Amino acid sequence: MRTEDLTSTEKTEQSIKKVLQKHRLSGNCHMVTFQLEFQILEIQSKERLSSVITDLNIIMEPTEYSELSDFVSRAEDRRDLLMFFQSLHFFVEWCEYRQRTFEHFKEKYPEAVRLPEGAVSSCMAVRSPREPGFELIIVWRIQIDDGGKVLPKLDLLTKAPRRALQLDETRVLETAPRGFRALLGVLGIEAALESLVKSLGVGEDH
Amino acid sequence: MEWANDKSKGGVLAHLERLETQTNRSRKNLDPQTETAESALEAKIHKLRCLRDKLRAEVKERQARVKASTASVEPDQTLEVNEQEAVEGKQENMKAILQAYRFTGLSGKLTSRGVCVCISTAFEGNLLGSYFVDLVIQKPLRIHHHSIPVFIPLEEISAKYLQTNIQHFLFCLCEHLNAYAGRKYQADQLQSDFAGFLAGPLRRNSLCNLLSFTYKVEPHGQSFPFCARLLYKDLTTTLPTDVTITYQGTDALSTSWEEQRVCHENLFLTKPLHQVFTSFTRKGEKLDMSLVS
């Protein structure tokens, strides 16, 4: 992190002292680089001292994480420096965990697992090597809500040949996404994904 | 790509035949209208693509500028001839970096025993107080001393996380302290800036998660018809979880008072305390303007 500090002082009547600090700092959180410019107005009166962030500009280097741009504008509007840093930290941590998890599955089941968007994919496709028409796509989005909380959101998309859909009387494929969400709650992310992969008969010897 | 929602009758081959006849038919019926609509869309796509490329180039340029501005500081430092000046420059930079870390809300410095972590709090862009926790790096990790107020459940949080996940311990403490600072700020603002709306002082506990006050809505009204009780059960939030407003005016309880009461309950649940009263002031000003005209 690097910072520049330019301060200007202004004395007004009745011993109220106002100091405007301008800060510029640049830094990075793992692979995400940012530059901040903000102003802090300090007003010292007889009773109290208040420090307010009066202006906040955040410049992010473009990343593959499109979810960040909304969050950054919110942080700027609210001049919420703390939320910016803390949410960014958790967001990047979740992204790295997602990447590690997907890469683990790709290594373990190289024929069945495909990462359509490459290393920083937000989805993982699992295909049964015996029945290539069936595919399960796990979409893992990482969202930052209005209060700055970082939440993972996983969904399941299914793909099957038309003939299979016609034979699907118990509507397993239709109810799969809901079932997946319930499974996540019970087993957690890694175990749920593992059981999905296994359910397509991957890794069995025939 | 076929998705799991489409069903067709008569088997795959029949379906393929149908699709084929459909495309042949549509090729014969090329409508001049659809052709112009198509070319208009194509032109639009081209325009949007050009705009996208232009924006991409702009972004690249800014990126390069950012990189250049951060890189340009270093050559200046290497030009310094006087060694002492160079060392002083580095010291200033380190101090600035340490100060900058305070803005992240969580910063620390090494001590002889371990590390002293400083937690800074803020609410809506207002920088509020800081607290510190002095940790001794030993097995087990322990807190040497701290400035955390006694009503923050420090023992509970350290029992859960201090030994196993120190990052979570710090973030949890950060959450509690920021929420407390935010609630206290709201209560202080209410008391100082909107004292005219309150009958008597604002009653609160030290954790600022239980507030009760009697208030009025119109700045020039004589009576204070509403009594509010705000409870913040979740210690990590700055908005109340339970709001009870009772009407205690002398007028008979009419529907308009009841409507206002319910409306206020909703306001206190969704907006910070001082902002609710700011909106009361604004409403009052609007009413005055209508009297003048």
Side-chain angles (χ1 to χ4, degrees):
Chain A
M1 242 167 143
R2 198 175 260 109
T3 179
E4 253 181 70
D5 181 16
L6 317 134
T7 314
S8 70
T9 319
E10 176 197 315
K11 262 205 162 88
T12 61
E13 6 62 46
Q14 296 172 4
S15 66
I16 295 178
K17 186 166 129 191
K18 288 191 189 171
V19 178
L20 182 67
Q21 292 178 348
K22 290 192 186 159
H23 297 269
R24 187 191 302 144
L25 60 87
S26 60
N28 69 295
C29 181
H30 297 264
M31 71 300 256
V32 177
T33 315
F34 53 82
Q35 198 184 46
L36 303 174
E37 281 181 14
F38 55 98
Q39 298 185 345
I40 297 184
L41 180 61
E42 266 181 16
I43 304 180
Q44 169 103 63
S45 67
K46 256 179 284 167
E47 302 99 26
R48 54 185 176 175
L49 166 69
S50 75
S51 275
V52 188
I53 300 174
T54 52
D55 190 36
L56 176 59
N57 281 306
I58 304 174
I59 304 168
M60 305 275 288
E61 216 166 285
T63 64
E64 300 93 352
Y65 307 122
S66 54
E67 302 100 323
L68 275 180
S69 52
D70 272 343
F71 159 69
V72 167
S73 355
R74 243 183 287 142
E76 270 183 348
D77 286 340
R78 294 200 210 154
R79 295 164 284 125
D80 202 336
L81 206 52
L82 296 191
M83 180 184 83
F84 170 72
F85 282 115
Q86 291 189 351
S87 302
L88 183 63
H89 167 90
F90 284 118
F91 179 81
V92 171
E93 249 190 28
W94 269 109
C95 286
E96 294 199 328
Y97 174 58
R98 175 177 68 184
Q99 194 176 335
R100 277 200 313 270
T101 311
F102 281 168
E103 280 173 356
H104 158 82
F105 281 104
K106 176 85 187 133
E107 258 182 63
K108 195 169 175 191
Y109 305 105
E111 267 110 54
V113 172
R114 187 172 61 95
L115 300 178
E117 293 163 18
V120 272
S121 194
S122 66
C123 56
M124 173 172 109
V126 188
R127 186 185 301 175
S128 161
R130 291 175 299 141
E131 300 280 348
F134 287 89
E135 203 171 40
L136 295 176
I137 301 196
I138 296 123
V139 183
W140 184 346
R141 278 188 221 99
I142 297 165
Q143 297 172 333
I144 310 181
D145 77 2
D146 207 50
K149 250 204 170 85
V150 181
L151 306 155
K153 194 162 181 296
L154 286 97
D155 272 309
L156 180 69
L157 296 170
T158 57
K159 177 180 156 205
R162 284 233 175 95
R163 187 87 182 98
L165 292 170
Q166 289 168 344
L167 293 170
D168 185 12
E169 283 162 24
T170 51
R171 292 155 89 234
V172 168
L173 286 166
E174 250 183 71
T175 56
R178 222 181 309 139
F180 176 63
R181 261 174 252 134
L183 193 66
L184 278 176
V186 173
L187 294 179
I189 296 176
E190 277 178 53
L193 293 185
E194 179 83 30
S195 71
L196 266 187
V197 173
K198 290 249 174 72
S199 74
L200 282 183
V202 178
E204 284 171 13
D205 296 321
H206 284 276
Chain B
M1 260 205 188
E2 310 152 359
W3 294 101
N5 283 311
D6 219 358
K7 295 185 186 176
S8 66
K9 302 183 183 145
V12 182
L13 281 177
H15 186 71
L16 283 172
E17 265 183 317
R18 257 181 271 131
L19 286 173
E20 217 178 27
T21 45
Q22 244 181 27
T23 22
N24 287 335
R25 229 181 280 144
S26 63
R27 258 192 229 134
K28 289 192 192 140
N29 295 352
L30 268 180
D31 205 0
Q33 254 189 349
T34 49
E35 268 199 277
T36 47
E38 265 181 50
S39 56
L41 284 172
E42 267 176 58
K44 194 172 182 193
I45 292 175
H46 181 75
K47 221 171 64 168
L48 287 171
R49 282 205 180 120
C50 288
L51 181 62
R52 177 201 64 187
D53 293 336
K54 199 174 98 179
L55 288 171
R56 272 197 186 149
E58 238 175 273
V59 167
K60 276 214 174 92
E61 207 199 329
R62 276 206 192 177
Q63 246 180 296
R65 248 188 283 150
V66 168
K67 276 213 169 90
S69 70
T70 51
S72 67
V73 182
E74 288 170 16
D76 283 336
Q77 287 186 336
T78 57
L79 282 175
E80 246 129 31
V81 184
N82 195 333
E83 239 184 58
Q84 195 189 19
E85 276 184 25
V87 168
E88 274 178 21
K90 285 201 179 143
Q91 266 189 351
E92 282 303 311
N93 199 28
M94 282 313 292
K95 277 199 210 152
I97 290 181
L98 284 176
Q99 192 198 32
Y101 267 99
R102 294 201 56 161
F103 292 121
T104 65
L106 202 58
S107 57
K109 58 175 194 254
L110 293 174
T111 61
S112 52
R113 288 172 294 254
V115 66
C116 182
V117 180
C118 176
I119 299 173
S120 319
T121 58
F123 181 69
E124 291 188 339
N126 293 280
L127 303 176
L128 305 168
S130 338
Y131 305 89
F132 73 87
V133 178
D134 204 345
L135 295 168
V136 181
I137 308 235
Q138 265 178 9
K139 264 207 156 75
L141 204 58
R142 67 183 174 85
I143 300 174
H144 186 251
H145 60 280
H146 64 84
S147 67
I148 313 283
V150 68
F151 39 80
I152 302 277
L154 179 61
E155 289 82 37
E156 211 180 283
I157 302 173
S158 20
K160 264 197 222 167
Y161 304 116
L162 183 58
Q163 305 305 330
T164 48
N165 187 348
I166 192 170
Q167 204 186 56
H168 201 155
F169 164 75
L170 290 173
F171 277 125
C172 190
L173 204 51
C174 226
E175 247 189 338
H176 277 80
L177 286 168
N178 267 287
Y180 159 69
R183 293 192 301 266
K184 180 168 180 298
Y185 176 78
Q186 290 176 61
D188 289 342
Q189 288 293 100
L190 176 59
Q191 231 170 331
S192 63
D193 293 357
F194 299 99
F197 284 83
L198 301 178
L202 168 72
R203 287 199 296 280
R204 54 163 125 176
N205 61 346
S206 26
L207 190 46
C208 283
N209 75 327
L210 179 57
L211 307 175
S212 108
F213 50 92
T214 310
Y215 69 99
K216 63 181 172 185
V217 186
E218 282 133 44
H220 309 297
Q222 297 296 338
S223 64
F224 299 85
F226 295 106
C227 194
R229 183 177 178 273
L230 273 60
L231 175 64
Y232 303 72
K233 256 191 226 148
D234 185 354
L235 292 184
T236 61
T237 58
T238 50
L239 284 175
T241 49
D242 298 283
V243 172
T244 322
I245 308 226
T246 48
Y247 173 70
Q248 53 174 43
T250 45
D251 307 342
L253 188 62
S254 65
T255 40
S256 79
W257 284 119
E258 181 57 25
E259 271 171 21
Q260 271 196 41
R261 195 190 65 79
V262 173
C263 171
H264 291 186
E265 270 182 5
N266 202 36
L267 276 175
F268 283 117
L269 277 170
T270 52
K271 281 164 101 180
L273 203 50
H274 55 298
Q275 282 182 20
V276 176
F277 277 86
T278 314
S279 66
F280 289 162
T281 329
R282 280 209 209 104
K283 261 193 231 150
E285 283 168 10
K286 265 198 224 150
L287 287 170
D288 281 349
M289 291 308 294
S290 69
L291 285 173
V292 171
S293 60

